[in-house]
Structures are given as C-alpha cells and as structure tokens.
Amino acid sequence: VGSHRLARRMGWIPDGSDVQRQVRELEANAQSVCYLGVDGSLALIFAVADAPRREAAQTIQHLQRLGIVSVMLTGDRKAPARAVASQLGVQKAKAELLPEDKVNAVQELKREGLASAGRRFLGLGPRCDCSVAMVGDGVNDAAALATADVGIAMGAAGSQVAMESAQVSLMDSDLRKLVVSVELGRYTLRKIRQNIVFALVSKLLMVAITVAGHATLWAAILADLGAMLVVTLNASLVLSRRRIARHSHGVDVPLRGGHSHGHRHECRG
C-alpha cells in the first residue's frame, strides 16, 4: 500500500490509462488516492479525504480581513490540495511536501517577508509586518513549526513533538482561537504603546514644569500616582476586550487556565 510516488516507481499508472483518468477525477474532488499492489501488480485504488473543519473557511476569511495571507503546506498531491484550498478560500497552496520541504517553504516565506520589509522601508511597497506563523499538529510539522517566527501547535490533537517545537500551544483544536489570538495580541500591543507614550509625555511635562520653577512636591506625587493609575486602567481594558473577542467569534476561551473540550480535526496548513 502506498501513495502516488510508489505507484509511479512500480509502473502501476501508465500514461493515458483508465486508472490515470480515475485518479484525476478523484483528486479533482479533493480526495487523496492510495494504491494497493499484490505480487508487484496493481490490485486496486481507493481514495480517502479529510473533511475540512466547519469553522475553517470562516477562520481563514477573518484572518484575511486582518491582513494575514494564508498559505497551505501539505504532503498531499497538487490536485486535491488545490481543491481543498478553493473550498476554504486559502490564497496559496504548496503540495507534495516532505517535512524538509515544509521547512524550505517557511524559510522562503520569511525571505519574502524580509524583501517586503525592505521595499516598505524604501517607500516602494505596502506595509508588511513580515512575520510568518506556522500552524500544525503532526510530527511532520515539527521542524517547520520551529523554523517559523511563531509556531502554533493545536494542543488537543497535536503530537508531543509538535507542541514542544512550537512557541504557542492552543489547548484545543478550535481554529477560531487563531483569530482571537491575533486580535488580542494586536490590541495588547496598542495598549502597550499608548501606555509608553503617556508615561513619557507625563514625565517630560513634569520635567518642563520643574525647570520653569512651578513644580511642587504634591504636584510631583500627583503626577506620578496619576500616571500609574491611568496606565493601569488602560491596561485593564485588555480583559474586557478578551471577553468581547470570545463572544464575537463564538469561541469558548477560558478566562483562567483550563481548556474547552470541543475537540475537532484541524485544517492542515
């Protein structure tokens, strides 16, 4: 029993044969074809298919609205890979990849991101955050997860090797949590920048008042405590944003530890 590579090596699929036509029809329907041989001859072919998770297409649409380009990396043949990518709205698909090929693909994406950053620095291209995140759960994904800028392992169905290689492990396989994670991360960064700017401006303003000779001890204490309270309250808004993001995407994100139990198979990519 083997894949298309084995069938080619054994000479089981002559060009123009009925078997080749049947294989193309099955692959066009997003099915991966397997081959069974007996005594060195082809006995039968059969097809298997992974049903895309019901939230996969919605998740990819949300990520695209956030400006994230989705690329599917898979070891399947090109025809079923293109069919699945079309169903889900994935922008790019790279097929027939071995584990080392996935590593090379991630490195290529990182180089493309660096090139885009250079064009943006020179004012020749659009804004690009130039980071590559890899989502996976299998042993074959481990090396690519470690190579990416951010490796994300789907913890519920993921292998131990994948979870150890990734920088982030989601506690279940709900793909919508990727959207929540991106939105929360960006919102948190905005709050951090706001707090830094406010703290610096308040300190500089106090220095200017002191140099002008109008500062008092109580004014300095009030400025210091006031800045601390404003920064703390502004940072606490992240907690309310977390609840909003959770409910807006219909995701059960625990507020303290733990994990939900809606285990499903994830879309490979």
Side-chain angles (χ1 to χ4, degrees):
V1 179
S3 65
H4 186 79
R5 290 188 180 92
L6 174 64
R8 281 294 185 188
R9 189 167 64 249
M10 300 297 293
W12 290 343
I13 316 176
D15 293 336
S17 63
D18 291 338
V19 173
Q20 189 179 56
R21 179 181 54 79
Q22 293 173 0
V23 168
R24 289 175 178 172
E25 291 176 356
L26 292 171
E27 290 181 340
N29 292 322
Q31 300 182 46
S32 298
V33 180
C34 300
Y35 303 82
L36 173 64
V38 178
D39 295 330
S41 300
L42 179 64
L44 61 89
I45 63 172
F46 60 95
V48 295
D50 290 331
R53 293 177 52 80
R54 61 184 181 183
E55 77 275 11
Q58 177 189 11
T59 299
I60 291 172
Q61 290 175 3
H62 280 300
L63 291 175
Q64 290 175 357
R65 283 199 290 268
L66 293 173
I68 297 175
V69 177
S70 57
V71 181
M72 182 173 70
L73 306 179
T74 177
D76 289 339
R77 297 260 295 161
K78 292 180 180 180
R82 284 195 297 265
V84 172
S86 177
Q87 291 177 13
L88 300 180
V90 176
Q91 293 161 288
K92 298 180 182 179
K94 298 178 181 290
E96 301 182 19
L97 301 180
L98 297 174
E100 57 268 26
D101 297 326
K102 292 184 178 181
V103 172
N104 294 334
V106 170
Q107 291 175 341
E108 180 182 354
L109 291 171
K110 293 173 69 173
R111 287 193 295 269
E112 291 176 358
L114 290 174
S116 297
R119 291 193 296 271
R120 181 192 62 180
F121 180 77
L122 296 174
L124 301 177
R127 183 181 182 277
C128 173
D129 291 334
C130 307
S131 297
V132 176
M134 170 73 183
V135 182
D137 65 354
V139 175
N140 292 340
D141 299 325
L145 288 170
T147 303
D149 295 312
V150 180
I152 305 173
M154 307 303 290
S159 65
Q160 188 65 30
V161 176
M163 295 179 66
E164 291 177 356
S165 300
Q167 288 81 29
V168 178
S169 293
L170 299 181
M171 296 309 295
D172 63 28
S173 296
D174 193 336
L175 293 173
R176 292 170 296 181
K177 287 188 176 180
L178 295 173
V179 181
V180 175
S181 300
V182 172
E183 291 181 342
L184 283 177
R186 292 182 176 180
Y187 186 76
T188 302
L189 284 176
R190 286 199 299 272
K191 290 301 176 184
I192 291 174
R193 295 188 183 103
Q194 291 171 5
N195 288 341
I196 291 174
V197 170
F198 179 80
L200 290 176
V201 170
S202 63
K203 298 301 181 184
L204 291 174
L205 182 61
M206 195 63 210
V207 169
I209 294 174
T210 303
V211 171
H214 301 294
T216 64
L217 177 61
W218 286 109
I221 293 174
L222 182 63
D224 186 62
L225 291 177
M228 181 187 67
L229 289 175
V230 170
V231 167
T232 302
L233 291 174
N234 190 41
S236 66
L237 294 176
V238 174
L239 296 177
S240 61
R241 178 71 178 188
R242 184 179 184 180
R243 296 186 181 94
I244 293 172
R246 177 187 59 174
H247 292 299
S248 64
H249 295 290
V251 178
D252 182 17
V253 180
L255 295 181
R256 292 197 184 109
H259 66 278
S260 64
H261 296 277
H263 296 177
R264 303 180 182 92
H265 296 292
E266 60 126 349
C267 166
R268 286 171 294 173

